[in-house]
């Protein structure tokens, strides 16, 4: 891997992608893309992430740009629709963006909202899609008591699983014991960020399955090894990536020996503009794990402002020593 700052900066393209629906508190998503001998790689740690953390995301991006991807065992990756914490009246229009998806992941526990808002949102999903699998994602927003109350209130909608109901591994383990009799699996997402996390989650009995992302775990190869070692079922997800990053996630999903759940790689549908033409969005409820190359005209038209490009170059310089 060539880690020379100037040469890497020359290979880096920073784009700002407008979102169709406000998500994670932002209206636009900045990502950096690297061209390389094997293809394109995406580096898109959220802006608040420190260099030590951003370094794992950078390793993933450079690996994907520089090296051929591991062998794949499936040619298509089924994905879920992702529903932000919108009001019930907007649920149908958001879900309409996802072609053919049979699973919906709905955000819950949004700051400033009540459990009643979550119940109303999930009820609307169930009314619109009687046969869908519905999973909810609290992003760690509940304490153990709140999570137990919420799960009991949402249980009647037949949940596939509850993702990161509480913030800590200890809370997840306690909650899992409490709701065990309801038969609703618990998934760990934010608790799985570094290579050592999945084993900790598994040992603590904190989750029934893991949500894994290629970038924070340091790339497709590292993520494959981590999933194997943890011994829990995995759902591959993304972090509001461009089509390039989604393609890296799809490559990970396509290489996993077992893929029992639909993956969170349909979030391209949340973008109002993307770097690839056509963008990597669900078709028939699935995405392809083939490589995606940005369209040069889109790279140019979506290019971030010069001050933001400078900020990403500074970020690259600060991150490289941690690689
Ligand atoms: Mg999540």
């Amino acid at each position: 891997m060539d880690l020379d700052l100037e040469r890497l900066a020359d290979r880096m393209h920073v784009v700002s992608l407008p979102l169709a629906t406000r998500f994670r508190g932002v209206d636009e998503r900045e990502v950096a893309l690297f061209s390389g001998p094997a293809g394109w790689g995406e580096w898109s740690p959220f802006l608040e992430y420190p260099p030590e953390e951003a370094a794992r995301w950078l390793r993933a991006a450079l690996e994907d740009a520089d090296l051929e991807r591991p062998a794949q065992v499936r040619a298509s990756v089924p994905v879920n629709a992702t529903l932000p914490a919108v009001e019930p009246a907007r649920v149908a229009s958001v879900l309409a963006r996802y072609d053919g998806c049979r699973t919906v992941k709905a955000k819950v526990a949004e700051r400033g909202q009540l459990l009643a808002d979550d119940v109303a949102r999930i009820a609307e999903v169930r009314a619109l899609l009687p046969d869908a699998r519905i999973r909810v994602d609290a992003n760690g927003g509940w304490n153990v008591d709140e999570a137990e109350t919420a799960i009991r209130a949402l249980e009647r909608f037949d949940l596939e699983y509850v993702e990161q109901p509480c913030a800590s591994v200890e809370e997840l383990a306690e909650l899992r014991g409490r709701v065990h009799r309801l038969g609703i699996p618990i998934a760990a997402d934010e608790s799985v960020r570094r290579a050592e996390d999945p084993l900790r989650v598994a040992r603590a009995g904190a989750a029934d399955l893991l949500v894994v992302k290629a970038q924070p775990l340091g790339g497709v190869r590292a993520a494959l090894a981590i999933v194997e070692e943890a011994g829990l079922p995995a759902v591959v997800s993304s972090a509001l990536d461009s089509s390039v990053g989604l393609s890296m996630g799809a490559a990970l999903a396509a290489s996993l020996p077992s893929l029992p759940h639909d993956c969170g790689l349909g979030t391209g549908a949340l973008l109002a503009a993307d770097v690839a033409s056509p963008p990597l969005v669900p078709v028939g409820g699935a995405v392809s794990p083939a490589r995606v190359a940005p369209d040069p005209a889109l790279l140019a038209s979506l290019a971030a402002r010069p001050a933001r490009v400078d900020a990403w170059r500074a970020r690259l310089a600060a991150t490289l020593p941690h690689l």
Side-chain angles (χ1 to χ4, degrees), residues 1-11 316 320:
M1 234 178 235
D2 179 7
L3 300 182
D4 177 77
L5 174 60
E6 290 309 315
R7 282 194 297 271
L8 282 178
D10 285 344
R11 292 166 56 190
L316 179 63
L320 274 177

Side-chain angles (χ1 to χ4, degrees), residues 105 107 137 139 163 189-190 211 213:
K105 176 168 98 168
K107 292 288 182 180
D137 184 359
N139 293 109
E163 184 170 323
D189 180 6
E190 283 85 349
V211 178
K213 297 172 181 156

Side-chain angles (χ1 to χ4, degrees), residues 69 71-81 98-103 133 135 212 234-238 245-256 258-267 280-291:
R69 288 171 166 176
Q72 301 181 348
V73 299
R74 55 187 68 79
S76 169
V77 175
V79 297
N80 63 269
Y98 298 90
D99 179 60
C101 292
R102 57 186 181 171
T103 300
R133 289 176 208 147
R135 59 182 75 150
V212 295
V235 178
V236 181
S237 192
S238 56
L246 289 171
S247 167
M248 187 187 338
L252 168 58
S255 296
L256 282 170
S258 164
L259 195 67
H261 301 277
D262 293 349
C263 286
L265 298 167
T267 52
L280 190 61
V281 293
V283 176
V287 298
S288 161
R291 284 212 177 255

